[in-house]
Amino acid sequence: MRRDDEATGEASAASRARNLQPVDEQVQTLSAPVPFESLREMDTDNARRVRRLQENLDRRMADERMVRLLAADGFTGTRYDRFEEELARYGISVLRGWMHSGFVFKLVALRGFDLKPDGLELDELVRDSELREELAMMTVAWALPVFRQRALVEGGWRAEGGAGIATYFMGACAYEFPNEYRRYRRQEKRWRRGQASQDITTEVRSAVGCVEEEVLSNLWVLDELKSIDDPRIQAAVALTVDDFSQEEIQQLLDAKSIRAVEGMLYRWRTKKQRDEGGRHG
């Protein structure tokens, strides 16, 4: 009985093996496309991975055909303009999302550009949609001509390279973003410095006004202030009389240094001494 079972099993296995071999009428269909539904025979993770690979391959093949058409026009003209417009719209959308999540800083850091954003900068990018739009548009504007030259004209992009056109373009954007963000930082720094200077000027005027009001009871000081023609020296003297330190006077008057404040006071004392010497003579 056992030998009979073994024989039966071997016969069944041989039968299954024969069913897997192509018969004559199947030979001509061996190279036919395998239907996408065959993915159902795989487990879910493998099927998903294969589907992504297939979609990526299809996309790259479509990109290759498109690049050939654009090359025939010399990467200029109406067709290229439409292509560039779509590419720019895509790049701006992706960059906006990367900035909102903060991923763009991780990406450029991996490429050697560690911008080290602080919490305030990250929060500003989350809150300010217009800032994200402006930075994305400027980054794309810088990236487009570089991408055209290197990827298309010089043939840097190839379908067999594994990246689609859109992915390749985002690499160009990631390369340009650090420069654009540094430009933005410099502009912000200049704006804040100007704003601080304006605030200090306002404080100086307020401080001088307060000092003048407080010294009205002191006729000698009032006369001295009125005799000073230079408004900055006048403010320096008034603040000194009111017990402001020279460091504080430097900040309030936006003077270059403490020595500059000392120079103003020295000029006032020298002139005062000359005037008094002339009167006594």
Side-chain angles (χ1 to χ4, degrees):
M1 291 294 292
R2 184 175 301 171
R3 289 181 179 178
D4 292 340
D5 291 342
E6 291 176 352
T8 302
E10 290 175 357
S12 177
S15 176
R16 289 196 301 272
R18 281 195 300 272
N19 290 337
L20 293 176
Q21 304 303 315
V23 294
D24 292 340
E25 62 269 19
Q26 289 177 319
V27 172
Q28 61 190 8
T29 64
L30 285 178
S31 60
V34 176
F36 212 63
E37 287 74 15
S38 63
L39 292 180
R40 294 173 184 171
E41 302 299 324
M42 303 181 184
D43 62 78
T44 303
D45 290 339
N46 279 336
R48 188 180 297 114
R49 182 174 60 85
V50 171
R51 183 178 288 106
R52 285 199 301 267
L53 290 172
Q54 180 65 49
E55 291 172 350
N56 184 47
L57 179 62
D58 291 343
R59 184 166 54 251
R60 284 188 283 119
M61 292 303 101
D63 286 347
E64 186 175 31
R65 290 190 294 271
M66 177 182 60
V67 169
R68 287 175 182 171
L69 289 174
L70 297 175
D73 297 333
F75 301 111
T76 58
T78 304
R79 183 154 41 196
Y80 184 79
D81 290 343
R82 288 199 300 268
F83 162 76
E84 195 174 68
E85 182 180 343
E86 290 298 321
L87 199 60
R89 186 178 294 113
Y90 172 80
I92 290 170
S93 177
V94 173
L95 281 171
R96 282 175 55 90
W98 284 356
M99 281 185 276
H100 188 273
S101 67
F103 172 74
V104 67
F105 296 105
K106 297 179 182 178
L107 179 64
V108 299
L110 291 173
R111 294 169 178 242
F113 302 99
D114 195 354
L115 296 172
K116 293 183 173 62
D118 58 32
L120 291 176
E121 289 177 321
L122 292 173
D123 183 60
E124 187 175 24
L125 284 173
V126 170
R127 290 184 294 101
D128 195 336
S129 175
E130 291 184 1
L131 174 59
R132 295 197 304 272
E133 183 78 12
E134 179 183 351
L135 288 171
M137 289 178 64
M138 292 304 299
T139 299
V140 166
W142 285 103
L144 279 171
V146 176
F147 169 81
R148 177 185 179 276
Q149 181 63 32
R150 296 181 182 175
L152 302 179
V153 175
E154 297 176 3
W157 178 84
R158 294 182 178 86
E160 60 268 24
I165 280 289
T167 304
Y168 198 98
F169 176 65
M170 292 314 301
C173 290
Y175 185 80
E176 293 295 334
F177 178 80
N179 291 331
E180 185 57 36
Y181 196 74
R182 290 190 188 104
R183 278 191 285 269
Y184 160 72
R185 273 179 168 169
R186 288 195 296 269
Q187 292 171 356
E188 276 292 290
K189 189 175 181 179
R190 285 196 295 268
W191 181 83
R192 287 172 181 170
R193 188 183 298 133
Q195 192 69 23
S197 177
Q198 182 177 351
D199 293 342
I200 289 174
T201 301
T202 302
E203 290 177 8
V204 167
R205 291 173 180 169
S206 176
V208 171
C210 292
V211 168
E212 289 181 347
E213 290 178 4
E214 291 175 3
V215 299
L216 284 176
S217 60
N218 191 326
L219 296 179
W220 179 84
V221 174
L222 183 58
D223 289 339
E224 289 297 325
L225 290 176
K226 288 182 177 179
S227 67
I228 300 173
D229 296 329
D230 189 323
R232 286 175 63 79
I233 295 179
Q234 186 184 65
V237 172
L239 292 169
T240 299
V241 170
D242 204 39
D243 293 329
F244 280 80
S245 70
Q246 291 189 349
E247 289 84 357
E248 291 171 328
I249 295 173
Q250 177 197 355
Q251 293 179 3
L252 289 171
L253 298 182
D254 195 24
K256 292 181 179 179
S257 64
I258 293 176
R259 291 184 63 85
V261 175
E262 292 174 349
M264 285 188 283
L265 295 174
Y266 174 78
R267 288 195 297 275
W268 167 66
R269 293 191 188 100
T270 302
K271 183 177 182 302
K272 181 174 178 294
Q273 290 171 358
R274 285 201 306 267
D275 292 344
E276 289 179 350
R279 283 196 297 269
H280 294 313

